[in-house]
Amino acid sequence: MSGGGLTFAELLREHGIVDAEGHRALVAQRPGPWWLMLLQALAAWFASLLIVSAVVLPAIGLGMAGQGVVGAALCVTAIALFRRGGLFTDQMGLALSLAGQGLLVWAVGGHFDAGTHRPMAAVGALVAGAMMLPKASGLHRRACGVLLAVALGVLIGEGQGSEMFGVVLMAAAVLSCVTRGRWAAHPRGSLLGAAALACGLSALALPAVLTLARGEAWVGALSGQGGFGGRMVWLAWGAALVLFALLDHLLRSARQPVRWPRAMAGGAALLWGLVFHDAPGLIVAVGVFAAAFHASQRTLAGLALLAAVSYVGEFYYLLDVSLLHKSALLALAGVILLALRAWMLRAGQEARP
């Protein structure tokens, strides 16, 4: 980033925002060329693969106790690598951490013979949550957050509880985006940010996961005997309720006051829920995107937009609804968005002095 040939660090020093020592610190933290960073990351993963292969394969023959010790050692080594704070060590620490967590889950969860994956999921949730706490890279914490959400989802199961879990994940992601200004400067802000992104990513993926888990959706769609619609009523209307709360907050906190903000938010959320109650993932994606865009969370906003496009494609192949019906619903959704935009512009103009 530069302006008039000056780098960002040089601009800060020129305007007196940082002194010479601060300028040197910024220059030292500046990343190198992308190709060099890519080579370092590839080298780190290759070295980690060799180390993990040399350690994990012999550990398989040591029994569950030996596997647990080796897994714990890999996790401790990863934490030590993260403390060095370099690209190579961060990537290597990520690889060792994932391998160590997997080995711990396999070793500890193997003691339980309950005929389900829940004991392993419980161990995985504990290990992933614990590995999020020490100092680490943002990528590692996000990966651990996603693993924690996956493990909790396995513990909850496929019933209505899983749908409510999706609503909780969406609400957590939206709340973290709305309150970003309060926790961004907190000493644990990086941890909270990683947890927020993990909640958002998990909320975006959960509708698709539930759809695939309920009745072999892909096979049914290809054979013409089923569809993609999961009929996830609790998730659809729970997400619509979260969307209503988000829109109400955004309209009430707008710089230009809007008339009847609660009625506007309620009407938009209700109509969106009625139109896409067969595609709850689209409701979740719209809510997460609106919150992330408001908080300038570009990564989460981009993922939400990509998920929305994917769920529109999924809705197109929904075999429980006719093509004419789906076309009418999509057109109605566009009209709702255009009407909401026009209403907000008009209300904002009327509120001006």
Side-chain angles (χ1 to χ4, degrees):
M1 179 178 177
S2 62
L6 297 178
T7 64
F8 182 66
E10 291 172 346
L11 286 174
L12 292 178
R13 181 181 181 182
E14 182 179 351
H15 289 81
I17 299 177
V18 297
D19 54 10
E21 183 178 354
H23 175 263
R24 287 192 295 270
L26 289 175
V27 172
Q29 295 177 1
R30 186 173 58 188
W34 66 269
W35 56 268
L36 181 59
M37 298 175 64
L38 179 61
L39 288 177
Q40 291 183 13
L42 292 176
W45 278 91
F46 184 71
S48 301
L49 180 61
L50 295 177
I51 295 174
V52 169
S53 301
V55 175
V56 173
L57 293 179
I60 297 178
L62 299 178
M64 295 181 180
Q67 294 169 13
V69 171
V70 174
L74 288 175
C75 291
V76 172
T77 304
I79 294 175
L81 289 173
F82 286 131
R83 293 184 178 277
R84 300 180 66 89
L87 175 62
F88 184 90
T89 54
D90 284 348
Q91 294 296 321
M92 192 171 182
L94 174 61
L96 295 182
S97 174
L98 294 179
Q101 291 182 55
L103 202 56
L104 276 175
V105 171
W106 182 265
V108 180
H111 283 287
F112 303 93
D113 188 13
T116 65
H117 298 291
R118 290 190 174 182
M120 287 188 176
V123 176
L126 292 175
V127 174
M131 289 299 293
M132 287 184 67
L133 299 178
K135 180 182 178 181
S137 64
L139 180 60
H140 175 262
R141 281 176 166 170
R142 297 185 194 107
C144 290
V146 173
L147 292 176
L148 175 60
V150 171
L152 292 177
V154 173
L155 286 173
I156 293 172
E158 298 181 14
Q160 294 178 350
S162 61
E163 298 183 31
M164 298 308 299
F165 179 58
V167 176
V168 172
L169 288 174
M170 177 187 176
V174 169
L175 181 62
S176 65
C177 290
V178 171
T179 60
R180 185 186 182 190
R182 302 179 183 178
W183 54 261
H186 192 271
R188 286 284 184 175
S190 59
L191 174 60
L192 296 175
L197 185 59
C199 287
L201 180 58
S202 302
L204 293 172
L206 185 62
V209 173
L210 291 180
T211 300
L212 294 175
R214 296 179 177 182
E216 299 181 357
W218 289 100
V219 177
L222 293 176
S223 62
Q225 300 176 357
F228 285 79
R231 298 296 181 185
M232 293 174 273
V233 179
W234 288 88
L235 178 58
W237 289 109
L241 183 61
V242 176
L243 180 61
F244 161 69
L246 171 64
L247 294 178
D248 179 64
H249 171 77
L250 294 180
L251 292 175
R252 287 178 178 274
S253 60
R255 293 182 179 180
Q256 298 177 354
V258 178
R259 297 178 60 183
W260 310 303
R262 181 154 295 176
M264 185 185 301
L270 178 61
L271 289 175
W272 200 258
L274 288 173
V275 171
F276 293 113
H277 66 277
D278 284 329
L282 192 55
I283 306 176
V284 174
V286 168
V288 173
F289 174 77
F293 184 83
H294 170 73
S296 299
Q297 292 275 39
R298 293 179 295 178
T299 302
L300 185 56
L303 293 173
L305 187 60
L306 180 61
V309 174
S310 302
Y311 284 123
V312 168
E314 175 190 345
F315 182 71
Y316 177 80
Y317 286 101
L318 177 63
L319 301 182
D320 297 339
V321 182
S322 65
L323 182 60
L324 181 61
H325 189 188
K326 288 182 289 188
S327 301
L329 291 178
L330 291 173
L332 179 60
V335 171
I336 292 173
L337 294 177
L338 291 175
L340 180 63
R341 177 181 181 274
W343 189 7
M344 292 179 63
L345 291 176
R346 182 177 179 181
Q349 291 176 356
E350 291 179 354
R352 292 177 181 176

